[in-house]
Amino acid sequence: MVSVLLLVGILVAVFVGYNVGGATTGPAFGPAVGADAISKTAAGVLMTVFFFVGAWTIGRRVVDTLGRELVRDPSVFTLEASIGVLFFIGAALFVGNFFGVPASTSMTAVGSIAGLGLAAGELNVAVMGEIAIWWIVSPFIGFWVSLIIGRYFYSSLNRRLAMTRSAGPLYRIDRSRRVPIPFPTDTTTWRELGGVTMVIAIGCLMAFSSGTSNIANAIAPLVGSGELEMNPAIVIGCAAVGIGTVTIARRTLETMGNELTELPLTAAIVTATVSASLVIFLSAIGIPASFVIIATMCIIGLGWGRATRPITVADAVRGEESVPVSVDALTADEEGNELPSIGDEDPERIPSAVDLFNPATTARVVLMQNIVPLIATVGAYATFRFVPIFGL
């Protein structure tokens, strides 16, 4: 018979999963909903399906890291401690939403569990060190990969991927068949259809990457406590995420989720692909990752690479030209236009407006992404160390 305390733990985990679904659907499918390619309900369904696939296949590796490896003795995950950890994760979501910046639930989960491990004297320093190193390295990998793409490949990508939306709906539903089938309308071009399909596919990739990393935030403490087996825990967590995707996520879809949707289509596709691929890689080796920080660094790198196109490497080495200080370069390009060769581009085409990358906003995002997990770590340590109810 399920104990009352376990039921409370499951309810708190469901609350965390619900908020994860609400917070991650907008960034993944905001562009597709904004382009009228799919409805909000369809976005929620796709988010749920691909989140589950990511959680079931790769996400269990991150659950093992947080629930069984980050602390040397998993027995410290009593039900009371598990509920406490989940409380700090849920509180981080609230703090991030209050300040208008999504807190990294992955980093906060690690911080809360690390606080528990420190209080119990059971923190696995080697695992914590490996996680911390990847947290530092992965955003810079995203930055440099995106910078190279922005400088050397963005021109051809922009020419091939960009599209112009036609007037009217993208498709109509043929209900004369036994199974309703969508067909492109007369005004929809094949290029437009392909572009929209790619936007939806990128959303599915981001949903998959979210599942690989974020499922652990909701269920790792309960799995680590031994009160829930891995498979039913994943099902419960994904069900909670699914509820969030079709309810509270409708608001984030309305506002397009995050700054990625303000980018040109080409830049959004590059940023989302690089960021999601890095998160999937990190999840595959058991490292919980922050998509927001990686994506922010990808945006900066892509814009910086685009901004340095007016000069050649040889000119920069000789000191004949200075690197443009603006990284708002992506907004200079008309969708589908081919850019001049490197060194031949007019620097005047690089705008100084902060339409793409606002340094103050980026600083606030990065600061909050690191401050909230730090608060969770200190708060968890103090709570588990000095509150008698936990008995560590």
Side-chain angles (χ1 to χ4, degrees):
M1 188 173 181
V2 178
S3 68
V4 174
L5 199 57
L6 176 57
L7 183 59
V8 171
I10 292 175
L11 289 176
V12 177
V14 167
F15 172 74
V16 173
Y18 174 81
N19 280 280
V20 167
T24 56
T25 306
F29 288 100
V33 171
D36 294 327
I38 55 175
S39 65
K40 293 177 183 178
T41 301
V45 171
L46 286 175
M47 182 72 195
T48 302
V49 170
F50 284 92
F51 186 99
F52 173 78
V53 174
W56 190 267
T57 55
I58 299 177
R60 60 184 65 236
R61 182 69 191 91
V62 182
V63 175
D64 280 335
T65 298
L66 295 187
R68 296 168 178 166
E69 298 176 10
L70 189 54
V71 291
R72 291 192 296 265
D73 183 7
S75 66
V76 301
F77 277 116
T78 62
L79 268 178
E80 294 87 350
S82 299
I83 292 172
V85 168
L86 289 170
F87 168 79
F88 282 110
I89 298 173
L93 290 172
F94 173 79
V95 171
N97 290 332
F98 180 81
F99 284 100
V101 178
S104 171
T105 51
S106 295
M107 295 176 70
T108 304
V110 171
S112 300
I113 296 173
L116 169 64
L118 282 171
E122 295 291 344
L123 178 65
N124 191 326
V125 178
V127 173
M128 186 68 240
E130 182 182 6
I131 293 173
I133 289 172
W134 276 110
W135 280 355
I136 296 171
V137 171
S138 57
F140 286 98
I141 294 176
F143 173 85
W144 282 105
V145 170
S146 299
L147 185 148
I148 292 172
I149 293 175
R151 179 172 172 83
Y152 297 104
F153 303 104
Y154 189 82
S155 174
S156 58
L157 289 173
N158 191 55
R159 184 177 66 253
R160 295 176 182 179
L161 298 180
M163 68 175 186
T164 302
R165 278 283 280 115
S166 59
L170 285 169
Y171 56 87
R172 59 180 178 82
I173 303 296
D174 185 356
R175 303 185 184 279
S176 62
R177 303 170 183 265
R178 178 175 300 179
V179 178
I181 300 176
F183 284 95
T185 62
D186 295 335
T187 59
T188 301
T189 65
W190 285 107
R191 183 183 184 88
E192 181 181 12
L193 191 62
V196 169
T197 302
M198 180 171 293
V199 170
I200 297 175
I202 293 298
C204 294
L205 176 65
M206 293 176 68
F208 178 85
S209 73
S210 180
T212 64
S213 181
N214 287 326
I215 188 61
N217 305 328
I219 67 172
L222 293 179
V223 173
S225 70
E227 297 292 338
L228 277 182
E229 294 296 326
M230 179 75 77
N231 289 348
I234 290 177
V235 172
I236 292 173
C238 290
V241 169
I243 296 173
T245 65
V246 295
T247 53
I248 191 174
R250 301 180 76 87
R251 298 181 62 185
T252 60
L253 285 168
E254 188 68 31
T255 57
M256 308 304 291
N258 64 12
E259 285 109 351
L260 288 181
T261 56
E262 297 176 5
L263 298 173
L265 175 66
T266 306
I269 289 175
V270 171
T271 301
T273 302
V274 174
S275 304
S277 298
L278 268 173
V279 171
I280 292 171
F281 165 73
L282 292 174
S283 299
I285 61 175
I287 304 297
S290 170
F291 179 87
V292 174
I293 289 182
I294 294 175
T296 299
M297 293 300 291
C298 287
I299 292 173
I300 297 172
L302 190 64
W304 192 273
R306 172 64 184 86
T308 60
R309 285 182 59 86
I311 65 172
T312 64
V313 174
D315 290 337
V317 171
R318 289 194 300 266
E320 297 178 1
E321 299 284 351
S322 60
V323 177
V325 296
S326 170
V327 290
D328 306 307
L330 301 176
T331 55
D333 304 321
E334 294 294 333
E335 293 286 3
N337 283 1
E338 184 173 0
L339 305 181
S341 300
I342 293 176
D344 296 334
E345 189 163 354
D346 183 2
E348 296 297 325
R349 295 187 69 250
I350 308 299
S352 59
V354 289
D355 296 328
L356 173 66
F357 166 60
N358 187 315
T361 300
T362 301
R364 183 165 62 96
V365 169
V366 174
L367 182 65
M368 287 296 297
Q369 288 280 309
N370 289 276
I371 288 275
V372 172
L374 179 62
I375 293 174
T377 304
V378 174
Y381 172 79
T383 300
F384 295 126
R385 180 70 176 81
F386 300 109
V387 177
I389 187 176
F390 295 105
L392 297 178

